[in-house]
Amino acid sequence: MLFVLCGAIFLEGINVAMLNVALPAIRAELGLSTGELQWVISAYVLGYGGFMLVGGRAADLFGRRRMFLAWLGVFLVVSALGGVAGSGGTLIA
């Protein structure tokens, strides 16, 4: 159990680090301005923080394991959708 939780935290940290490393490539590929790049970071952090708050309460109501797996699935799907985004607005959304 500890190994799974540590792996999940590692994936989350790696994802934030990859976002910072990928910003120049995102800017070049999607033609974003510096302000729009800040929106990419802000949207990620705000979404992540909001889901942390909702996820904590949902875990109390529905069970830790069920919510862990559900939010991990949501995280993977949204990350994949961000990877195939064709425009800056889609990526930010």
Side-chain angles (χ1 to χ4, degrees), residues 21-55:
V21 170
L23 284 177
I26 292 170
R27 181 180 196 170
E29 183 73 27
L30 299 178
L32 299 176
S33 68
T34 305
E36 289 171 322
L37 279 179
Q38 182 59 44
W39 272 105
V40 171
I41 296 168
S42 296
Y44 180 82
V45 171
L46 287 172
Y48 182 76
F51 282 129
M52 287 291 287
L53 293 172
V54 172

Side-chain angles (χ1 to χ4, degrees), residues 49-61 63-64 67-68 71:
F51 282 129
M52 287 291 287
L53 293 172
V54 172
R57 179 66 179 143
D60 290 341
L61 295 173
R64 293 184 309 255
M67 287 298 98
F68 175 75
W71 290 116

